Amino acid sequence: MAPDSPRERLEKLAAQARERALGLKAELERRRGLPAGPGDLFVLPATAGLPVEWAVLERAADGKLLVVPADAGPPAGTADVEVPADAPGGPLSLRCRFGTWLDGALFEPGRRSGVLAPETVAEALRRFRQVESGTLAGSPLAEEVDAEPEYVDWIREVPERARELALAARPSNVRRFPSRSWGMPHKLAAAFALVSVGLSVWVGQLQRKVDRLSEPIFNPPSETVPLGEDTRGDISLAVPRTALHVQLVLSLDSSIDAQEGYLEIVDRFDKAVWQSDRVWLAPDHDYPLTLPRDRLPYGIYLVRVLPAAGFGSPPLAEERLLIEVAE
């Protein structure tokens, strides 16, 4: 049986997204207005500039909450609990080494962003206790992850920094928002927008990915758009004004030969707003990218695939991306 095409894969993701979004929306509505409790995921104003949520593991009698930072960065290491994509709240890694007790007043009901399964909470609590007692023992694979430079950098810059910011926060300094649900889950430090950008002969369905977001951003295109035609519409991404990050999935089509090269995004003045390191360009491969919202103001951009010759070379493929306001 022939493997699914990139477009078929995205259509399946979209269908899964709708199904999971409805379930999560119902669960968030059920918990609307309730105080934070075990299993809840929250976004805190103090750490909204980082791609983290906070998983509540336990509530003390004095109202304090035992929480751990959660993110969708590198794979889980020895002290982390991995939440798979098909589990509630996933995909996430709960960074249990950085668990801490925080004032429950920091967790506003309107900033609840998701829910974890009870078994996930139990495993994270067990892992946190092992870290506390010094009895934690990891698998060889997890220990390899611990030593990866990417993992080390991420841990230092995201969960470790998040814990410092959260511990420094005070309820009196928290900006108060109306007590309301965000309607749909805003994952990873507020609303992320996802666009699947076809970088060769097709433009796929532009949908919010099931693993991180909620519902389709807009009615997606359904036709194939060959690269290089004289007339071709922009790929549009509607971004909420409240979004702190934009996530792009750059999907290479099979028409691009496997080779080393680069990816970049430039603005309308041909100024680079993001450039990749030298990467292996694999046909039918997805390259996820998360950028701070202020790196992509509303306007038109070009997303390019470049050969190994480097930046400034004629692109192997190029797509126009329009960032517009989500009304």
Side-chain angles (χ1 to χ4, degrees):
M1 189 168 102
D4 291 340
S5 68
R7 180 170 172 177
E8 288 171 331
R9 293 201 304 269
L10 289 171
E11 287 174 344
K12 288 181 178 179
L13 278 175
Q16 293 171 357
R18 287 191 292 271
E19 182 178 350
R20 292 193 65 189
L22 289 174
L24 183 52
K25 181 179 180 181
E27 181 60 26
L28 290 178
E29 185 62 26
R30 188 182 69 81
R31 299 190 182 206
R32 183 177 182 180
L34 296 177
D40 285 331
L41 289 169
F42 275 84
V43 172
L44 296 185
T47 57
L50 296 172
V52 295
E53 296 171 274
W54 291 90
V56 181
L57 304 186
E58 196 171 73
R59 187 181 187 96
D62 62 0
K64 285 194 173 183
L65 300 174
L66 175 60
V67 297
V68 296
D71 61 67
T78 302
D80 308 328
V81 171
E82 185 173 8
V83 185
D86 58 354
L92 283 176
S93 290
L94 308 184
R95 311 298 183 181
C96 299
R97 192 180 301 278
F98 300 95
T100 188
W101 289 92
L102 295 178
D103 192 324
L106 292 170
F107 295 78
E108 303 176 35
R111 287 188 171 271
R112 183 179 279 108
S113 58
V115 179
L116 297 173
E119 55 268 27
T120 300
V121 175
E123 176 59 25
L125 191 56
R126 185 180 72 86
R127 195 72 55 92
F128 173 76
R129 299 300 185 205
Q130 289 176 331
V131 171
E132 270 196 322
S133 63
T135 59
L136 180 65
S139 67
L141 181 58
E143 290 175 353
E144 287 182 15
V145 173
D146 292 343
E148 288 284 342
E150 179 187 5
Y151 179 85
V152 174
D153 290 343
W154 180 270
I155 290 298
R156 181 178 64 252
E157 295 169 6
V158 180
E160 183 175 337
R161 177 59 178 157
R163 183 173 66 172
E164 293 173 358
L165 293 172
L167 286 171
R170 295 292 180 269
S172 59
N173 295 330
V174 176
R175 176 184 166 197
R176 292 299 173 185
F177 290 80
S179 181
R180 60 177 175 83
S181 170
W182 287 359
M184 300 300 291
H186 291 272
K187 302 295 286 180
L188 298 178
F192 281 78
L194 174 82
V195 57
S196 299
V197 182
L199 293 180
S200 55
V201 298
W202 61 275
V203 176
Q205 303 254 358
L206 305 187
Q207 298 280 354
R208 291 181 189 257
K209 193 174 180 182
V210 59
D211 297 338
R212 302 218 180 141
L213 291 171
S214 52
E215 62 184 353
I217 298 169
F218 57 88
N219 292 327
S222 58
E223 70 273 36
T224 299
V225 183
L227 182 68
E229 286 191 347
D230 292 336
T231 302
R232 186 171 72 252
D234 294 338
I235 300 171
S236 299
L237 176 60
V239 179
R241 295 185 186 277
T242 55
L244 296 180
H245 297 78
V246 174
Q247 185 178 17
L248 308 175
V249 175
L250 312 181
S251 300
L252 270 62
D253 189 78
S254 57
S255 65
I256 294 182
D257 294 334
Q259 60 188 287
E260 289 190 335
Y262 302 86
L263 301 167
E264 76 169 350
I265 301 174
V266 300
D267 62 18
R268 61 192 182 94
F269 302 108
D270 206 37
K271 180 181 177 181
V273 299
W274 172 80
Q275 293 177 323
S276 76
D277 294 328
R278 190 173 178 126
V279 296
W280 181 253
L281 302 174
D284 292 328
H285 190 73
D286 294 341
Y287 298 85
L289 168 66
T290 300
L291 292 176
R293 174 67 186 82
D294 57 10
R295 295 280 294 275
L296 290 173
Y298 298 115
I300 295 177
Y301 299 85
L302 292 177
V303 185
R304 293 171 174 163
V305 183
L306 301 168
F311 302 106
S313 305
L316 301 172
E318 182 178 274
E319 291 286 354
R320 280 165 57 97
L321 171 63
L322 172 63
I323 303 293
E324 58 185 352
V325 179
E327 300 297 344

